Each structure stands twice: as structure tokens, then as C-alpha cells.
Amino acid sequence: MKKILLLGGMFLLPYLIQAQNIFSGEPVQWVGRPNGYSTTPYNSDYRTTGYRKVSTTTNNPLDGRGQWATTINVQSSGGNITPDNMPGGGGAGWLLISGPSSNRFQNKWNFSGVGQAALNAINNITRQGGGQDMGLNMGTAGYYTFVMRDAGYNNSEVYIGYTASEPVTVSHLGQTFSNGQPVISISTSNTPSAGENIYVRYRAGTNDFTTGTSLVQATGVGTSWTATLPLQNCNTTVYYYVFTSTRNLAGLNGDTEQNRSLATLRYDDRFGSNYSFSIAQSSAAVLSGGATICSGDSSALQVNITGGVAPYTLVYTNGTSTFTVNNYVSNTAINVSPASTSTFSIVSVTGANGCAGIGNSGTAMITVNENITYYADNDGDGFGSLAVTQESCTGAPEGFVLDSSDCDDTNNTIFPGAAEICYDGLDNDCDGIIDNGCTPIVSVVLPNQC
Ligand SMILES: [Ca+2]
Ligand SMILES: [Ca+2]
Ligand SMILES: [Ca+2]
Ligand SMILES: [Ca+2]
């Protein structure tokens, strides 16, 4: 029993123990033919590379992605070194070294044989005591950024990125949404060199970039850049940081997670903790605004939305058709003018983050009353005049009636059906004939009256 346990422990051991990092008191140095393999000064010098960790959170202690990085300015004059096309071999190339002051060359990283290192690529290097120098064409003026993975005193990799100008620093500015897609805003300290690309590296759900990350290349001009991520799932948190690399997107996509951070020139990872945003879902949306209106009038509906990310895309229905309101802000008026009585309800609420909300409720009935024409009854006889009208959907206005047959609205004895009064010269019953039905008055004129 004991033996079996012991055996299991032996197999597990190599996977549990991380390689010891390179001792920071004996940091990695870049030496080569252009600087005569000089190892002094030891500190505060471009040949002594700085230690960094890209996107390393407390959740991610076994990152193993510590890196030694330095940028060498190659110029005919005024740079760190002058241009040199190094073939490699004994005394004709360059090395990465680490060791105590008494033996700076104690640990050397180079190719196992003579070879030419590739720019903008990840080069495998071997840790050894002896061996030949690596070749590298540094014949073109510009900036050569060397990043070596700290694999401890073991075989490792070095990325060499070339930029015509000094590598730009990169800063995260903020995050918004466009058509539901997350957009990351980025600024650079200067216009990047040709081939100096800007990226966002992200992972949904877990703030640990040792596995499962994705990349988006930013677009822009000058110092202003944006990276648009694909639509993300609801109720997840997306973690990300921004960086620059002379490696192209296809190259980075094909790289291991470890090499994605190795190929980084400059980065902004919020001091290791990464940036994040959440794809929050609206938790409630309540429609209200029931009313009674006249035909042709409008009334306001509103939707009170809780949670999610504004502005929203709101879809509602009147029971037969659906309507879409873009860029809706909670509780703002939606004017509707239904032709007939309708009941409105929510179909969907989608946040600016593309996430469809839940908890949609509420109905609003808009009762539509037809408009009716009423006629003025100024003389109060109950009959109205065609000449003066008013529309209403809520009953007769004061002084108005439905009837329109008063032929004289200034006289309350004149109206349809009134008795025709003879010989007054008026059409009392509004039948269009004055004094009709009266016996004609016959006057006889006597001859002596002529
Ligand atoms: Ca009247
Ligand atoms: Ca009248
Ligand atoms: Ca009459
Ligand atoms: Ca009359």
C-alpha cells in the first residue's frame, strides 16, 4: 500500500513543482558582438533586461509567464549599438546570460548549434554552459525588443520584435457596446510603426489567461484605436488587457497561451489584475400607460427597466403588430396613436450589450373613442345649427346637441315640428316654406275705394 502511494507521488512530482525562476540578483543580460560581450555596467543598462509578468492575477499564481525584456536601439549614431548583421558562431553573434558578478556567463541561452534568430517570431533557445552564439540580422536601424521567458535555468524561448521607431506604450481607455458587441478603446503614445499591431486578449468567465484566451486586433489611426469583440453571452464577466506585438494575428492565434504573452512588446493589464466588464441582463421591465383617448390622438406608454445596460432595444406589440424602439432609455415616453382600442405589451428588451432581458411584464390598454360632430344650440330649443360645429369623443359639449336641423338658432320658437304661425312672415317649422298651411287672406276692393 505504501509503495503504491509512493509511486503515485513520484509521478505527480514533476508536474507539481514549478521551475525556480532566474535569480533576480543575477538578472538576464543581452550581450553580443556589437557591445564586445561587455557585462558592465551590470544594472541600469539596456543589456540588463527587466523582469515583467503580463496579465498575472492572484487567481493565477502558477502562470510561469515571468519574462525578461529589453529594447535595444540600433542606430548609426546615438543608439545603444550600431547596425550589425551577426552571422552567429564564436564571437560573431549574441547571447542571453545570467550569473553572479564573478561569472556572468555561468548560464547561457543560445541555439544548440549556430543558427539565425528570426525577427517577429518566437525562437527556441537552449540553456547551456558552452555553445555557439546565436546569429541575428540587426543591420537595419530601429528598435529590437527581446523578451525571454523565465523558464528557470532551463531551455526557453525568446521573442524578438522589430519596430522602426521606439515601441509605443499602450493604454486602455474604456469599454462600451456597439450593436451589442463590446468595444475597447485604446490609445497609444505615438503612431505605431508598420507591423506594430495592437491587440485585445480576453477570456469570458475566468480571470486566468493560462488557457482559453481569444484575440482581437484593434483598428484605428495615429494614437486612437478600438477593438470590437464578438457578441458575448449574457451574465458573464469578460476579462481582458491590451498589448502591442509585431507578431500578426494569425501567428498569435496559432501560438500557445504562453507565447501570446511572450510576443508582447508593451501592454496595459491594469497592473496584472486585467480589465473586465459584465454582460448584465435586465431583470425586470414593466410596461404602463393605459388611457382613454379620442380617435386620432396619441398617448404615452412607458417601460420601467431594471438592470442590464442602457440604451435598450425595446420591442412591443399592440396585439397584432410589433414595433421596435431603438436606443430606449427606461421610463421615457413612447407615443402611440392606435386607430382602435388596443392592449399593448412587451415582446422583448435587449440591452446595449446584446443581452435579452427577463422579467418583462405589464399591459397598457388604450381605449379609443370615436369623434362625433355636435352642433351649436344657441337658442336652447334642443335643435342645433349646421353653421357652428364641434367634434367630441366624450359626449356633447355645453351648448351643443347632436341635432343639426334648426333653421333659426336665434329663435327658440322656430324649430322642426313647431306650429307654423300664420302671417308672421317666418318659417316656424323649418320645412322651408314661410306661413304654409295658412288660409290666404282675400281682400275685396270696392269700386268706391279705387
Ligand atoms: Ca336651436
Ligand atoms: Ca330655433
Ligand atoms: Ca313652414
Ligand atoms: Ca309663419
Side-chain angles (χ1 to χ4, degrees):
M1 194 64 180
K2 250 183 186 173
K3 252 184 183 171
I4 293 164
L5 279 173
L6 195 66
L7 209 61
M10 282 169 73
F11 278 114
L12 284 171
L13 219 56
Y15 300 99
L16 292 173
I17 294 178
Q18 295 290 303
Q20 179 193 334
N21 280 3
I22 295 165
F23 177 44
S24 62
E26 299 170 2
V28 174
Q29 285 189 285
W30 185 99
V31 293
R33 185 168 83 175
N35 71 348
Y37 295 90
S38 168
T39 58
T40 55
Y42 193 58
N43 291 308
S44 306
D45 184 84
Y46 72 86
R47 286 161 289 194
T48 303
T49 62
Y51 192 71
R52 74 182 195 187
K53 283 188 169 183
V54 180
S55 172
T56 304
T57 68
T58 51
N59 297 334
N60 181 25
L62 301 178
D63 60 280
R65 288 176 291 138
Q67 299 160 358
W68 297 92
T70 192
T71 297
I72 298 176
N73 181 12
V74 177
Q75 303 294 339
S76 296
S77 64
N80 301 132
I81 60 174
T82 56
D84 191 349
N85 185 355
M86 297 178 285
W94 62 286
L95 296 163
L96 293 165
I97 61 169
S98 166
S101 57
S102 58
N103 182 15
R104 302 284 194 228
F105 288 83
Q106 181 171 292
N107 308 289
K108 296 162 64 173
W109 287 269
N110 53 16
F111 298 139
S112 49
V114 175
Q116 192 78 9
L119 286 177
N120 307 319
I122 288 153
N123 300 274
N124 292 313
I125 50 175
T126 306
R127 184 259 162 185
Q128 51 201 324
Q132 300 285 350
D133 301 345
M134 292 179 274
L136 179 62
N137 187 350
M138 296 175 78
T140 305
Y143 291 75
Y144 294 76
T145 298
F146 294 78
V147 186
M148 176 188 164
R149 184 169 71 90
D150 190 347
Y153 298 95
N154 290 304
N155 299 338
S156 185
E157 302 89 35
V158 61
Y159 181 78
I160 310 166
Y162 170 81
T163 50
S165 300
E166 186 173 4
V168 297
T169 57
V170 64
S171 302
H172 170 264
L173 293 182
Q175 179 270 321
T176 55
F177 292 97
S178 175
N179 297 321
Q181 293 180 256
V183 179
I184 314 296
S185 300
I186 302 159
S187 70
T188 53
S189 57
N190 220 321
T191 301
S193 299
E196 187 179 18
N197 302 317
I198 299 155
Y199 297 101
V200 170
R201 186 172 171 210
Y202 67 95
R203 185 178 180 193
T206 309
N207 192 11
D208 178 345
F209 285 27
T210 51
T211 183
T213 72
S214 300
L215 296 154
V216 168
Q217 186 169 349
T219 57
V221 287
T223 60
S224 184
W225 301 80
T226 57
T228 303
L229 275 56
L231 276 172
Q232 300 293 309
N233 292 331
C234 290
N235 299 318
T236 56
T237 299
V238 177
Y239 301 90
Y240 66 99
Y241 67 92
V242 299
F243 70 100
T244 64
S245 179
T246 48
R247 198 150 172 77
N248 65 29
L249 183 61
L252 287 171
N253 277 332
D255 284 338
T256 61
E257 298 285 359
Q258 194 163 260
N259 286 345
R260 288 176 177 179
S261 61
L262 188 68
T264 296
L265 299 190
R266 301 289 183 262
Y267 60 100
D268 177 1
D269 65 352
R270 205 181 171 202
F271 307 105
S273 62
N274 296 321
Y275 296 93
S276 67
F277 58 87
S278 293
I279 308 293
Q281 186 176 39
S282 58
S283 56
V286 183
L287 177 82
S288 62
T292 298
I293 61 170
C294 297
S295 176
D297 287 354
S298 67
S299 184
L301 305 174
Q302 55 274 323
V303 179
N304 186 0
I305 303 172
T306 307
V309 175
Y312 307 88
T313 301
L314 170 70
V315 180
Y316 66 92
T317 179
N318 63 1
T320 51
S321 303
T322 58
F323 307 90
T324 300
V325 184
N326 292 311
N327 297 312
Y328 185 72
V329 175
S330 180
N331 278 324
T332 52
I334 305 158
N335 288 315
V336 292
S337 185
S340 59
T341 297
S342 306
T343 300
F344 293 86
S345 59
I346 298 170
V347 174
S348 65
V349 175
T350 305
N353 55 11
C355 185
I358 56 170
N360 301 332
S361 67
T363 56
M365 189 166 92
I366 307 283
T367 303
V368 179
N369 288 330
E370 288 302 317
N371 280 308
I372 295 168
T373 303
Y374 292 89
Y375 302 88
D377 177 22
N378 285 321
D379 58 13
D381 59 7
F383 296 84
S385 161
L386 265 176
V388 183
T389 64
Q390 194 169 316
E391 298 266 304
S392 173
C393 76
T394 53
E398 180 80 28
F400 285 77
V401 292
L402 267 174
D403 178 84
S404 63
S405 59
D406 196 352
C407 59
D408 183 349
D409 200 31
T410 63
N411 186 332
N412 64 5
T413 66
I414 298 176
F415 52 85
E420 186 68 42
I421 298 168
C422 291
Y423 315 126
D424 61 355
L426 300 171
D427 176 19
N428 310 82
D429 61 0
C430 293
D431 67 353
I433 307 166
I434 296 168
D435 294 345
N436 50 320
C438 297
T439 309
I441 297 169
V442 179
S443 296
V444 178
V445 180
L446 297 173
N448 62 351
Q449 290 173 311
C450 289

